[in-house]
Amino acid sequence: MSIVMNETKWNVRRERKMSEVRNQAIMDVIKNCISKKNNDIPFYVADFSDVLYKCRYWKNKLPRVEPYYAVKCNSDPMLLSLLVSLGIRFDCASKGEIDAAMAAGAEPSDIIYAHPFKSNTFLRYAASVNVDLMTFDCEQELVKIKRVFPQARLVIRISIPNVPAAFPLSNKFGCTLKQAQKLLVLAQNLDLNVVGVSFHVGSLCEQPFAYAKAIGMAKDLFDMAEDLGYHFTLLDIGGGFPGSTGSTDIFDKMCYYINEALDDHFPEGCGVRLIAEPGCYVACSAYTLCTKVIGKKLSTDMDSDDGEIYKQQCFYYLNDGAYGSFGYGFEKYGYRIRPLLSKSQQASRPILRSKLWGATCCSSDYIVEDCLLPEMEVGEYIVFDNMGAYTRSLTTGFNGFPMPMTHYVFPPQPINKNDKLPPFEDYCKDLGSNKLKSFVKIQDYICHDDSNDDLFRKG
């Protein structure tokens, strides 16, 4: 008889133990991969039990808001297949992302084409596969949609100014409420179907209250639209949610302000569907990257006046870098460095000021400018936590260096012999999903290469 998920869902002590077990499982996989594969290719370990936990936590904290995973964050096909099984829908920004979501098993109705500016070719493709829910924020885009895909259901995107975020977006996308009112009149004249409002407070939003402000602005636009004869049925509150280990407090604050604002402006039973576009929140902490030290040298800079040494730093050259997993802005997602050394090794080695360089020939290819590490040797490994967001999706293959491989862990080992993990179907049911397009075979845990596809079996 399977365990009912709700009975143990929010047992804090059990979740803490599970976290410890997950961490041990990841380290076991890393050590196993290192012992079996004598090569210099970096690799990820993707912990899918962490993804399950995040999805369940979202449902507990934001029960009225449907998550549409932002594919751009991490388009790992295995991850997308898992999310399909869990009933998660998708935010796509291109033909390629639509293809990836549908290849994983998503239906066209599971997708919002959430890029305010779409090429004619991509727009025609969306029409051909019936992905008809999409955003816009200007007159020119409305005219284009009228010409190419007049049957689309449209969501007007407003800008939320003056919100501190790691990556602000309102300077690139969105319109003011005044502009929105004019656009709605134009959409009426063009006989286009506008069904709702969207916004994005910025990636890694630093001001939880910004969601309440944005929801209030969206309600003002709902009221304006009502006066014009519209009856909106959708509100998309965008992304901006953190996903690194240790970011729960700020996420909880965001949820508090979101729920409070939704209760005030869009109370339950109002007939408005509520969605969001988390990316980093889902993927960031689930992926751990293991890199290898392929080179080392001691750098000594000399003072030009008296010849005395004034700075000494150890340079380490890793088998991944800025053109691989450590692309633009990676440091904002809460990475953590862990030298893969035993406690005795760490205790016996000197701590050195260090710079971590990437693998390519480019002089700008560095990972960390200055950090403190125990002295490492060539052939040893450095592990980076919280590497699931905007890492895999930004790799370039520059200089011929390969993309890291990925190994998958799901689920963690039982804590005690009497602890029985429920079958994967129960995880899906717990999240309200009956899709089961694919599901994970449950063993103690599974280490799996992305070059092999037997982790999932199609249902």
Side-chain angles (χ1 to χ4, degrees):
M1 182 176 179
S2 63
I3 296 175
V4 178
M5 292 295 293
N6 288 333
E7 291 179 358
T8 59
K9 188 172 182 180
W10 301 117
N11 184 315
V12 176
R13 184 178 178 185
R14 185 175 189 273
E15 292 292 357
R16 188 180 299 115
K17 286 183 179 179
M18 292 294 281
S19 178
E20 294 170 359
V21 173
R22 285 195 295 262
N23 290 337
Q24 185 58 52
I26 291 169
M27 292 310 299
D28 287 347
V29 170
I30 288 174
K31 291 174 182 178
N32 184 54
C33 292
I34 289 172
S35 67
K36 287 186 176 181
K37 296 190 174 183
N38 184 24
N39 62 45
D40 294 329
I41 300 176
F43 62 89
Y44 292 102
V45 177
D47 174 15
F48 280 175
S49 63
D50 185 76
V51 176
L52 287 174
Y53 173 78
K54 288 289 189 64
C55 292
R56 293 164 64 210
Y57 196 75
W58 178 284
K59 183 178 179 182
N60 180 263
K61 289 292 181 177
L62 293 170
R64 296 177 56 206
V65 182
E66 298 176 59
Y68 276 59
Y69 173 71
V71 176
K72 59 183 170 289
C73 176
N74 185 331
S75 57
D76 182 349
M78 290 290 192
L79 173 61
L80 301 186
S81 293
L82 176 69
L83 294 175
V84 167
S85 293
L86 298 176
I88 305 299
R89 296 180 171 87
F90 298 95
D91 152 23
C92 298
S94 66
K95 176 183 181 296
E97 290 185 357
I98 292 172
D99 282 343
M102 294 180 67
E107 301 293 336
S109 58
D110 295 330
I111 296 170
I112 180 171
Y113 193 169
H115 196 312
F117 297 90
K118 298 158 284 291
S119 71
N120 288 330
T121 301
F122 286 6
L123 198 51
R124 280 192 290 269
Y125 177 75
S128 72
V129 295
N130 201 31
V131 173
D132 65 344
L133 185 64
M134 59 189 64
T135 60
F136 75 97
D137 71 0
C138 70
E139 175 182 338
Q140 290 77 9
E141 193 71 10
L142 276 178
V143 173
K144 182 198 303 176
I145 293 169
K146 173 64 178 179
R147 184 178 65 253
V148 179
F149 193 3
Q151 299 82 21
R153 294 178 298 140
L154 305 181
V155 181
I156 187 167
R157 178 162 169 170
I158 59 173
S159 63
I160 313 299
N162 304 319
V163 177
F167 300 97
L169 292 171
S170 288
N171 59 342
K172 184 172 185 179
F173 300 121
C175 59
T176 66
L177 293 185
K178 186 175 181 180
Q179 292 168 335
Q181 192 170 20
K182 294 178 180 178
L183 289 172
L184 292 178
V185 172
L186 175 60
Q188 279 185 325
N189 294 335
L190 293 173
D191 194 28
L192 292 172
N193 183 21
V194 184
V195 300
V197 178
S198 74
F199 62 79
H200 199 304
V201 295
S203 296
L204 298 181
C205 175
E206 298 166 8
Q207 187 181 76
F209 180 76
Y211 289 94
K213 172 187 173 183
I215 291 169
M217 290 175 63
K219 181 57 167 66
D220 290 341
L221 186 52
F222 266 70
D223 293 340
M224 290 180 194
E226 197 76 28
D227 292 339
L228 292 171
Y230 287 96
H231 183 63
F232 286 170
T233 57
L234 179 72
L235 174 63
D236 179 357
I237 66 172
F241 307 98
S244 61
T245 304
S247 64
T248 303
D249 286 349
I250 189 169
F251 177 72
D252 287 350
K253 290 177 182 176
M254 290 173 174
C255 295
Y256 170 80
Y257 286 115
I258 289 169
N259 288 326
E260 187 177 61
L262 291 176
D263 288 344
D264 287 344
H265 301 298
F266 299 94
E268 199 161 358
C270 69
V272 176
R273 185 182 176 205
L274 307 169
I275 71 172
E277 300 168 2
C280 173
Y281 170 81
V282 173
C284 185
S285 60
Y287 285 69
T288 299
L289 177 68
C290 186
T291 64
K292 188 175 185 179
V293 178
I294 59 174
K296 168 187 176 181
K297 74 177 178 182
L298 194 63
S299 170
T300 303
D301 291 339
M302 305 296 292
D303 185 287
S304 59
D305 293 331
D306 53 22
E308 292 183 2
I309 296 173
Y310 72 88
K311 185 170 71 171
Q312 197 170 49
Q313 189 178 36
C314 195
F315 285 1
Y316 297 107
Y317 299 82
L318 306 186
N319 59 348
D320 205 341
Y323 294 92
S325 302
F326 300 92
Y328 171 73
F330 87 92
E331 70 282 356
K332 297 180 185 292
Y333 292 95
Y335 77 95
R336 297 189 307 186
I337 303 175
R338 286 191 292 152
L340 196 59
L341 301 173
S342 67
K343 290 182 179 179
S344 60
Q345 285 176 318
Q346 292 200 45
S348 64
R349 298 189 183 188
I351 304 298
L352 303 179
R353 289 185 56 247
S354 306
K355 180 170 183 174
L356 306 183
W357 289 95
T360 73
C361 297
C362 177
S363 62
S364 298
D365 182 7
Y366 65 88
I367 300 168
V368 179
E369 180 72 39
D370 201 358
C371 63
L372 295 176
L373 287 175
E375 185 172 10
M376 306 292 293
E377 301 299 336
V378 173
E380 292 181 331
Y381 293 83
I382 297 177
V383 173
F384 294 81
D385 296 323
N386 296 317
M387 289 294 289
Y390 301 97
T391 49
R392 286 175 48 104
S393 56
L394 295 178
T395 56
T396 67
F398 173 59
N399 248 180
F401 288 95
M403 181 177 178
M405 296 182 66
T406 305
H407 307 272
Y408 300 88
V409 178
F410 179 87
Q413 301 175 46
I415 302 165
N416 303 307
K417 291 182 179 179
N418 294 330
D419 280 343
K420 294 183 179 180
L421 290 167
F424 186 66
E425 292 91 328
D426 282 7
Y427 283 95
C428 296
K429 291 174 184 176
D430 183 56
L431 289 164
S433 174
N434 59 3
K435 292 190 174 184
L436 290 177
K437 294 287 184 184
S438 56
F439 61 90
V440 180
K441 297 176 183 178
I442 293 200
Q443 299 172 0
D444 285 348
Y445 65 85
I446 295 175
C447 173
H448 173 78
D449 290 346
D450 57 4
S451 56
N452 187 348
D453 63 0
D454 65 358
L455 176 62
F456 293 92
R457 72 173 183 266
K458 299 296 181 182

